[in-house]
């Protein structure tokens, strides 16, 4: 047995010596420790372009006045379906009776109103109105709105098409 132990010890020393010298030894497993490289981090900053918003061109009415602004705000509220604001801007005075609910329901078939202010004379605001309907047709009107104290107090509109 002493001979076998000696042979094993000699073989182990040979293998260790070969491994230390970098001599490849086949068939004998050699433990290897792998050290992973340190992680690489970046502090680079990438510039993101800011969004650019372009306002569409707006054609002002022939003469911008407070009176015309009230009528424009009235139709803007109607287009936004903000009937409470439209009501307070004068809808209550030109509704023709029936109250707020009947007034608001009167716009049920209108999808969009396009208003053109053609003239302003004192408190009278002259307009042309195109009312696009939900069925694809368009109704046109022309006439005047009378504005006093920042609200519409009267209207005379005639359907032209």
């Amino acid at each position: 047995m002493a001979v076998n132990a000696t042979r094993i010890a000699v073989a182990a020393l040979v293998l260790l010596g070969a491994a230390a010298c970098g001599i490849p030894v086949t068939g004998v497993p050699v433990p290897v420790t792998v050290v992973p490289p340190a992680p690489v981090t970046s502090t680079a900053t990438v510039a993101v372009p800011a969004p650019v918003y372009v306002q569409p061109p707006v054609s002002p009415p022939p003469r911008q006045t407070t009176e015309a602004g009230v009528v424009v705000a009235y139709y803007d509220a109607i287009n936004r379906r903000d009937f409470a604001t439209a009501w307070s801007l004068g809808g209550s005075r030109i509704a023709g009776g029936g109250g707020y609910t009947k007034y608001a329901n009167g716009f049920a078939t209108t999808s969009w109103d396009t208003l053109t202010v053609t003239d302003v004379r004192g408190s009278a605001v002259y307009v042309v109105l195109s009312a696009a309907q939900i069925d694809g047709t368009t109704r046109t009107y022309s006439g005047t709105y009378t504005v006093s104290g920042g609200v519409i107090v009267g209207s005379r509109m005639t359907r032209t098409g």
Side-chain angles (χ1 to χ4, degrees):
M1 272 258 188
V3 175
N4 281 341
T6 305
R7 284 186 185 169
I8 293 174
V10 171
L13 287 174
V14 170
L15 289 174
L16 287 174
C21 295
I23 301 171
V25 178
T26 52
V28 178
V30 178
V32 177
T33 304
V34 177
V35 178
V40 178
T41 60
S42 173
T43 58
T45 304
V46 178
V48 177
V52 177
Y53 300 99
V54 179
Q55 182 176 2
V58 177
S59 300
R63 190 176 95 210
Q64 184 65 45
T65 66
T66 303
E67 289 80 9
V70 169
V71 177
V72 169
Y74 173 75
Y75 278 99
D76 178 58
I78 291 171
N79 282 336
R80 288 183 289 111
R81 297 304 209 222
D82 181 359
F83 299 119
T85 298
W87 182 257
S88 69
L89 286 170
S92 61
R93 297 175 184 228
I94 62 174
Y100 173 78
T101 302
K102 184 176 179 185
Y103 167 79
N105 289 339
F107 295 98
T109 63
T110 304
S111 63
W112 190 261
D113 289 317
T114 303
L115 181 75
T116 303
V117 176
T118 59
D119 196 10
V120 178
R121 293 186 213 146
S123 62
V125 180
Y126 294 80
V127 300
V128 173
L129 174 68
S130 294
Q133 304 300 297
I134 58 174
D135 66 2
T137 62
T138 301
R139 297 177 186 169
T140 55
Y141 303 85
S142 66
T144 61
Y145 286 93
T146 304
V147 177
S148 178
V151 296
I152 298 169
V153 295
S155 68
R156 293 186 183 191
M157 297 294 288
T158 304
R159 186 169 176 181
T160 59

